[in-house]
Every structure is written in structure tokens, then in C-alpha cells.
Amino acid sequence: DLRGDRQPEFTQIDMEMSFADEQTIQDYTEGLLKKIMKDVMGIDLKTPIKRMSWTDSMNKYGCDKPDTRYGMLIHDLSSIFKDSDFKVFSGAIADGGFVKGIAVKNGAKEYSRKKIDKKADFIKRFHAKGLAWVKFEDGEFSGPVARFLTDENKEALKKEFDLEGGELVVFVADKWKVVCDSLDHLRREFAKETGIIPKGVYDFV
């Protein structure tokens, strides 16, 4: 399996245990991982390993194998835009969908409209219908969606993403799975391109 997140050979560890509960299995597995990381990599793995529910992982990272080495978390903005005049947003929510987004620090200058359009084409493979976006610079919002933002929307976005200036905020409005898949892959693409993934860092979850 030559996918980027797979190893060439298959490795499986079978544990034969009687009357084991969830915590016991987790404790043994953590001990094994700690020993492997120390013996093979010379790294002291901190235990207990962080826990995260499947739902939290999907909602914050868009997938069930989250890269927690960096931020750029996914935010649910549905409550902000449910009554928006921008029908792409309010219509998706009315149909049972969601509006979610991520903020890319320093993305306002880094990403031109042409580059953003390429991202919109990129997420079509995950069945997204489009990619909405705004830039936040010098205390002002700009971009195609900016004219639909009320003062209340603007304040809510600044608070939600803790905007400081220079960010690019991208939005996907669609069914939950489409939104998760699209923003998961966008998050990874933006992280690689902006160089925020720390090298030589392991963050187990």
C-alpha cells in the first residue's frame, strides 16, 4: 500500500487476553508503544496518550486520524450563518448541512485569488460544490463573501478564530461528510504549504 500515510509492509500485533477491559488494553498498548519509540527512535513517549472521541476528531480535524502537531482547527460556523443573506450558507444549513471553516495565518498575502480557485477545484473530488473565502487585513474583511457579512457576523468570526490580521478564512457549506472531507484535505494542504508542521515531532492521540 503506497499511500502517503501507509507503510509498505503490513504490521499487526495480536493480543490474547482474557476478561480484559478497555483500559487494560489501552495500558498494554501504550506500554508497547512507549518501549518501541524508546528502543527504535530513542524518544521518550509521554503517557498516558491523549484521548479523543471519534466525533471530536471528525469535527475538529475532519478525519479519524488527526494530525495534532499543529492548529488550524475546523470551526463550525453554522450558528453564525443560519440566517445569512448569503444563500449558499443559509440554504445549506436549512437543508440539514453545515457551514464550517478554517483560518490560515498569513494566508491573506500568501494566497491570491488564482491560488484559492485551485483549492476550490481541488475539493471538488470530495464532492464540495465550491469554496467561499474572505481575507482579514488591517481590521477589515475583503473577498467575495465579505459583502454578505453583517457587523454581527464579522465580530463573531473575529472572536471564533481569534483573528489578529493577515488571515485567510475559507468556508465549505454542504453535508457534514462533504464538509469534513474537504476541510480535512484543505487543512493538510495549507499546513504543508505554509510550513507550520513541526519536523521531528511526534504527537500521539
Side-chain angles (χ1 to χ4, degrees):
D1 191 337
L2 298 179
R3 284 176 288 178
D5 58 352
R6 299 293 193 273
Q7 61 189 46
E9 74 280 0
F10 180 72
T11 301
Q12 176 175 314
I13 297 173
D14 291 325
M15 294 184 179
E16 296 192 15
M17 309 170 75
S18 298
F19 309 108
D21 58 17
E22 182 178 299
Q23 188 61 53
T24 300
I25 295 171
Q26 289 175 348
D27 289 344
Y28 272 106
T29 303
E30 286 184 352
L32 177 62
L33 287 172
K34 187 176 180 71
K35 178 173 174 53
I36 291 173
M37 290 297 291
K38 182 64 174 178
D39 291 352
V40 177
M41 305 290 293
I43 294 173
D44 288 313
L45 178 64
K46 292 182 180 179
T47 55
I49 293 173
K50 291 182 293 185
R51 306 287 197 265
M52 185 184 301
S53 70
W54 179 85
T55 301
D56 280 349
S57 180
M58 293 298 293
N59 283 329
K60 293 179 180 179
Y61 298 90
C63 66
D64 59 2
K65 48 184 179 183
D67 190 339
T68 57
R69 293 174 297 170
Y70 58 94
M72 206 188 298
L73 300 184
I74 297 170
H75 292 247
D76 188 348
L77 310 170
S78 304
S79 62
I80 296 175
F81 292 116
K82 61 184 177 65
D83 298 318
S84 174
D85 289 336
F86 188 39
K87 297 306 179 184
V88 171
F89 285 178
S90 57
I93 296 167
D95 288 340
F98 295 81
V99 177
K100 297 190 179 189
I102 54 177
V104 185
K105 287 190 178 296
N106 303 313
K109 286 186 170 58
E110 178 68 24
Y111 289 92
S112 63
R113 180 183 289 267
K114 184 177 180 180
K115 285 184 177 180
I116 298 170
D117 286 344
K118 287 184 178 180
K119 297 300 183 197
D121 289 336
F122 169 67
I123 61 173
K124 286 179 181 177
R125 70 186 69 180
F126 309 110
H127 308 292
K129 300 179 184 70
L131 182 67
W133 57 274
V134 292
K135 294 181 178 183
F136 183 66
E137 298 176 284
D138 301 320
E140 298 292 335
F141 287 93
S142 63
V145 179
R147 64 191 179 96
F148 295 101
L149 298 179
T150 64
D151 289 342
E152 188 177 85
N153 293 157
K154 292 175 182 178
E155 290 305 314
L157 286 176
K158 286 191 281 187
K159 182 177 180 181
E160 183 72 25
F161 289 107
D162 193 22
L163 299 179
E164 298 175 343
E167 292 91 351
L168 166 70
V169 183
V170 297
F171 312 88
V172 177
D174 216 305
K175 299 301 182 185
W176 183 78
K177 185 66 165 60
V178 173
V179 172
C180 287
D181 287 345
S182 301
L183 289 175
D184 164 35
H185 287 85
L186 279 176
R187 178 177 179 267
R188 289 191 250 171
E189 287 288 304
F190 282 128
K192 284 188 289 185
E193 292 170 357
T194 57
I196 65 171
I197 305 174
K199 298 184 184 299
V201 173
Y202 298 88
D203 194 31
F204 285 71
V205 64

